[in-house]
Amino acid sequence: MAAVRVEAVLAAAEEQEAEKRRSITVEKELELEYDLGNLLAMDRNPPPAAALRGAGPRREALLQALARDNTQLLVSQLWELPAERAGGAGGPLVAQLPEPTFPLPREKPPPKPRPPTRWEQFARLKGIRRKKKTSLVWDEQAKEWRRRWGYRRAGGDPSRAWLAEVPAGADPEEDQFARLRREKRERVARNELNRLRNLARAHRAGSAVPAAPLHPTGHQDRDELRRVARVARVSTASLGRFQPRLPKEPAEPPSRSGGKKRRFEPLLGNLAAERSRQLELLRDMGSKKPVLDITRAVNKQLRQEEAEAAAANKGKKQSKRGKRGRRQQRPGRSSKKSGARRQPQQKPAGGGAGGGRRKKA
Amino acid sequence: MDALDRVVKPKTKRAKRFLEKREPKLNENTKNAMLIRGGNANLTVTEVLKDIYAVKKPFAVLYKRKNITRPFEDQTSLEFFSKKSDCSLFLFGSHNKKRPNNLIIGRMFDYHVLDMIELGVEKFVSLKDIKNSKCPEGTKPMLIFAGDMFDVNEEYRRLKSLLIDFFRGPTVPSIRLAGLEYVLHFTAVDGKIYMRSYKVLLKKSGCKIPRIELEEMGPSLDLVMRRTHLASDDLYKLSLKQPKGLKPKKKKNISHDAFGTTYGQIHMQKQDLSKLQTRKMKGLRKRPAEKSAEDGGATPKKSKSA
């Protein structure tokens, strides 16, 4: 008797629970897709099209019912997220949202690292590393620690020195103080110019990639745009003959070569130049050795060395010494590669280390 | 070097900060929207712009004067506005005989138009036409898209992405559950898009999850799609590309399987078991003689005498 009563109570409780849940459950044929980071739900079930075609109030009611069901599902998902009370026990319930997953385009392209300055490029090539300098140095005269630069610097401000040495071989009448001031001014101006040049180069470098499909993004070079527009204009079946023209464009469609006409030397005139040109051509043809473009060869060599160094670095960790040290270690290898080809240009005395050769090029 | 090539150098700290704020960032700021009234916009379109502005408010700019421009023909003025106000979303409203009650919704990438979709307004109910309580400004809406069209059709898919971008607001790490009180519901049926906004009422259901009731709040729009201008695939792909720095760094020696179980590899030194402390018992205790032998076991006490 008692057992029956317990079962009945349990069944009643279960029914009550189901009744409670019924108010918040929604049946859908296809599951919704959620992106809780964006508070987003996507319902792929086709809505009842025929019913929605009906009169205004009925359609509104249908839309609202659909929205209610979908919102219920989304809110149930959000309530399932891990939540905590913000600011102690009495605070509002705050749910931790996951990261948004729906792929959306960015507003701007990702930031690019600043391209290295001219000096940084050179220093990398030569393996020059930055040395840390202390800001305080010992001043021998003042017998105390002073700043390396700036106000009250060690050794005193050179521009305020009361004595200036006349270098050997200089004009004794020349004002040495004025010379020092002028040189300083020139150095400052040159530094500023180089800084601006580096900035401009960095600014241009962002778009320097020759884009085969030109995207309307980033900074665009004027010449690049002109080139792309020209190519686009003549890239039709009629080679651009029937393309509409811009107001200032010439009527003739530009040729593929960019509107540059072939230029020939005048038939009569500079005989000496013609003679030397022909002679040079003949000499090149007659010689057994290939013609060497020194600048190109040197650049190639440099690039090769850099690539080798990079490959060597990739395997092991960055070694402590720079590239210069490594190059000194194996001079034979680097000179062997180019030595044979470079022989005619080179004096026998110059067969030493890599540094000297480069200067010559 | 032409005028555009020149480097803009800020003269003051404030100008520098201002420019830095606009530079491309690894973690981007919330996209701002500009709502532009066209050269000839009627009352409906103006009201639509005002209402969307009210919905978007802290992240929107309303250009309410006449702006005589046609985005589908010439995008330069839009790009100029975008650069000026640093907005990458726009909604342009106009009205003419050929395209009455016209809205153009779009987004920019790097200050150039990426996507634009033209929508005609067939029916509009404003925020103030419905007399009931509204949501506070800046509420993050829940977005719901219903209808298989949003997945089947490429243009609708792009429209969905555009609408999510437009209305989602800031990305937040956490949200107050009681503050979820605004729903934007988009339904695509029969070539029409019904945009409805509702206020959410959380009712007691007897269990943890509340029962939802909705109340129409406005603005609600019935839209039809007109012209579209979608980004080419490679440009769209370029805009979707996320920088490397945003990816979380992979932790070494930790892996996960399909069920989400974490496996780790731990490197330990071999434990010296002879020094293991076991249970202390009187019987196991060392006798004093043993103890002294262990202390001087390695080096006999010869040195003491020496």
Side-chain angles (χ1 to χ4, degrees):
Chain A
M1 189 67 192
V4 173
R5 208 176 294 156
V6 166
E7 265 170 20
V9 167
L10 277 178
E14 207 164 86
E15 202 163 288
Q16 211 174 346
E17 189 67 23
E19 184 67 37
K20 271 182 193 171
R21 296 214 51 99
R22 199 167 299 144
S23 70
I24 58 161
T25 43
V26 178
E27 295 294 325
K28 284 271 177 185
E29 208 163 290
L30 286 169
E31 286 266 311
L32 266 66
E33 280 174 51
Y34 302 101
D35 175 10
L36 298 181
N38 280 330
L39 304 181
L40 170 70
M42 286 165 273
D43 179 10
R44 287 163 68 186
N45 299 297
L52 281 171
R53 236 171 262 145
R58 191 158 160 252
R59 184 169 61 204
E60 289 306 311
L62 261 172
L63 282 175
Q64 187 156 349
L66 182 66
R68 195 216 79 81
D69 287 356
N70 284 335
T71 316
Q72 179 72 62
L73 286 168
L74 179 59
V75 164
S76 316
Q77 287 284 325
L78 287 168
W79 242 261
E80 297 286 314
L81 289 173
E84 57 182 23
R85 297 228 168 251
L93 203 60
V94 170
Q96 308 297 323
L97 290 180
E99 285 283 305
T101 49
F102 192 85
L104 287 172
R106 282 175 67 89
E107 186 178 24
K108 287 159 200 162
K112 291 191 186 80
R114 177 179 61 80
T117 61
R118 259 287 154 83
W119 163 252
E120 279 166 352
Q121 282 175 0
F122 178 75
R124 213 177 82 84
L125 201 65
K126 288 284 190 185
I128 301 169
R129 281 157 184 276
R130 282 185 71 115
K131 255 184 265 157
K132 280 256 175 179
K133 281 185 185 168
T134 53
S135 63
L136 288 181
V137 283
W138 180 252
D139 191 345
E140 221 24 86
Q141 282 170 342
K143 302 283 182 221
E144 62 174 350
W145 290 93
R146 288 205 166 164
R147 286 188 204 93
R148 193 184 288 276
W149 289 101
Y151 178 63
R152 276 168 68 78
R153 66 151 100 169
D157 191 351
S159 66
R160 289 184 167 223
W162 56 274
L163 185 70
E165 197 179 333
V166 180
D171 177 17
E173 296 298 306
E174 193 190 3
D175 183 359
Q176 293 301 320
F177 293 106
R179 183 181 63 85
L180 287 175
R181 265 198 308 272
R182 194 187 63 236
E183 280 177 358
K184 166 93 179 178
R185 220 170 25 235
E186 278 168 9
R187 278 201 304 274
V188 168
R190 203 178 55 227
N191 264 339
E192 180 65 14
L193 180 69
N194 283 343
R195 193 181 69 82
L196 291 178
R197 259 192 202 153
N198 277 327
L199 271 181
R201 226 155 40 86
H203 187 63
R204 272 203 306 270
S207 67
V209 189
L214 192 72
H215 297 308
T217 60
H219 170 76
Q220 281 148 354
D221 200 7
R222 207 171 165 192
D223 296 331
E224 177 77 4
L225 281 179
R226 198 175 285 153
R227 193 182 62 76
V228 173
R230 195 181 66 228
V231 170
R233 198 175 160 210
V234 294
S235 300
T236 61
S238 60
L239 295 180
R241 182 159 303 163
F242 303 110
Q243 284 304 99
R245 271 193 303 127
L246 288 175
K248 280 180 186 170
E249 257 181 346
E252 194 74 8
S255 67
R256 292 237 166 202
S257 60
K260 263 188 210 154
K261 284 191 178 159
R262 286 195 298 169
R263 282 272 169 85
F264 299 103
E265 292 291 314
L267 289 175
L268 285 171
N270 198 352
L271 276 177
E274 192 179 343
R275 184 187 156 84
S276 67
R277 205 168 47 240
Q278 299 288 353
L279 276 177
E280 200 176 330
L281 190 65
L282 280 175
R283 202 178 59 235
D284 281 349
M285 283 164 71
S287 72
K288 289 262 173 16
K289 282 160 205 143
V291 187
L292 182 70
D293 185 351
I294 298 180
T295 326
R296 236 183 112 192
V298 167
N299 283 342
K300 196 176 173 187
Q301 168 83 5
L302 283 178
R303 264 201 305 280
Q304 207 168 18
E305 272 175 26
E306 209 172 333
E308 267 174 30
N313 271 347
K314 220 172 191 183
K316 61 182 184 226
K317 272 196 172 170
Q318 183 100 32
S319 63
K320 278 279 189 284
R321 54 195 145 67
K323 270 173 206 133
R324 172 184 273 181
R326 195 172 306 126
R327 212 174 291 144
Q328 276 168 353
Q329 268 200 338
R330 34 167 200 190
R333 195 175 167 199
S334 59
S335 65
K336 208 197 298 171
K337 277 210 168 144
S338 57
R341 280 174 57 195
R342 213 170 282 197
Q343 228 39 282
Q345 268 77 30
Q346 220 167 341
K347 299 259 158 56
R357 255 186 290 131
R358 201 162 305 129
K359 260 179 212 150
K360 208 165 280 172
Chain B
M1 223 194 253
D2 62 342
L4 285 170
D5 253 341
R6 224 169 286 143
V7 181
V8 184
K9 201 185 147 205
K11 288 205 178 76
T12 59
K13 272 272 186 227
R14 193 173 167 199
K16 194 179 172 191
R17 257 179 280 140
F18 179 84
L19 286 179
E20 265 171 10
K21 223 192 250 170
R22 291 190 164 196
E23 269 173 9
K25 290 182 269 286
L26 212 59
N27 273 315
E28 296 206 296
N29 45 337
T30 312
K31 288 186 180 180
N32 285 324
M34 47 186 181
L35 309 163
I36 305 171
R37 182 186 189 271
N40 36 11
N42 60 353
L43 186 69
T44 316
V45 166
T46 323
E47 287 290 311
V48 169
L49 291 178
K50 270 187 196 161
D51 280 10
I52 303 278
Y53 179 61
V55 167
K56 277 288 291 178
K57 201 127 182 212
F59 300 105
V61 187
L62 181 61
Y63 286 113
K64 49 187 160 187
R65 288 211 207 149
K66 287 186 176 182
N67 297 293
I68 302 167
T69 172
R70 294 184 189 85
F72 271 90
E73 275 146 51
D74 186 16
Q75 303 160 359
T76 45
S77 61
L78 270 185
E79 284 165 9
F80 170 76
F81 276 132
S82 156
K83 214 160 205 171
K84 185 178 165 186
S85 51
D86 196 26
C87 290
S88 62
L89 301 166
F90 65 86
L91 185 66
F92 178 89
S94 62
H95 172 81
N96 52 37
K97 194 172 169 186
K98 192 170 179 184
R99 297 192 183 86
N101 298 329
N102 209 29
L103 289 177
I104 300 173
I105 185 170
R107 61 182 156 198
M108 308 274 201
F109 174 62
D110 200 13
Y111 304 120
H112 294 280
V113 172
L114 187 72
D115 295 329
M116 281 199 286
I117 293 175
E118 197 171 49
L119 301 164
V121 182
E122 299 215 319
K123 207 192 105 203
F124 170 60
V125 183
S126 166
L127 260 173
K128 36 177 207 199
D129 291 349
I130 302 168
K131 298 270 179 288
N132 54 12
S133 63
K134 308 292 177 200
C135 280
E137 186 185 307
T139 311
K140 190 172 160 79
M142 291 188 273
L143 301 171
I144 298 171
F145 289 82
D148 48 348
M149 276 298 267
F150 280 123
D151 269 315
V152 175
N153 190 326
E154 176 59 32
E155 284 177 344
Y156 274 74
R157 217 180 303 152
R158 207 54 87 76
L159 177 67
K160 178 175 77 173
S161 160
L162 194 52
L163 288 169
I164 291 169
D165 218 357
F166 200 91
F167 286 108
R168 70 169 180 157
T171 46
V172 287
S174 57
I175 198 159
R176 189 169 67 99
L177 287 174
L180 296 168
E181 50 181 18
Y182 184 39
V183 186
L184 275 174
H185 195 270
F186 298 91
T187 319
V189 183
D190 277 351
K192 276 190 189 174
I193 300 144
Y194 300 100
M195 170 186 161
R196 296 283 178 274
S197 39
Y198 300 103
K199 194 176 160 63
V200 179
L201 307 171
L202 304 172
K203 297 276 159 107
K204 277 188 182 132
S205 69
C207 56
K208 201 181 124 200
I209 297 162
R211 180 178 164 77
I212 299 297
E213 295 291 342
L214 297 182
E215 199 176 57
E216 178 127 31
M217 189 179 94
S220 43
L221 298 158
D222 291 4
L223 303 165
V224 282
M225 200 185 274
R226 285 175 185 161
R227 288 180 289 178
T228 55
H229 173 278
L230 305 182
S232 65
D233 281 344
D234 52 343
L235 179 59
Y236 193 67
K237 213 169 155 189
L238 189 78
S239 68
L240 280 176
K241 200 174 173 191
Q242 292 296 325
K244 258 187 204 163
L246 273 186
K247 269 186 205 160
K249 253 192 178 172
K250 202 179 171 254
K251 277 185 187 160
K252 267 183 168 179
N253 300 333
I254 291 178
S255 56
H256 299 272
D257 68 1
F259 306 105
T261 319
T262 311
Y263 294 103
Q265 199 173 6
I266 305 168
H267 298 278
M268 288 182 68
Q269 292 196 320
K270 200 169 183 186
Q271 197 177 0
D272 188 2
L273 289 174
S274 64
K275 283 187 182 153
L276 193 71
Q277 176 70 58
T278 49
R279 199 168 156 206
K280 287 178 179 171
M281 279 199 305
K282 216 171 188 181
L284 291 174
R285 203 182 287 163
K286 278 166 187 157
R287 269 165 282 175
E290 248 179 14
K291 220 177 206 174
S292 66
E294 206 159 84
D295 281 344
T299 53
K301 286 179 183 172
K302 270 178 197 168
S303 57
K304 215 175 200 176
S305 62

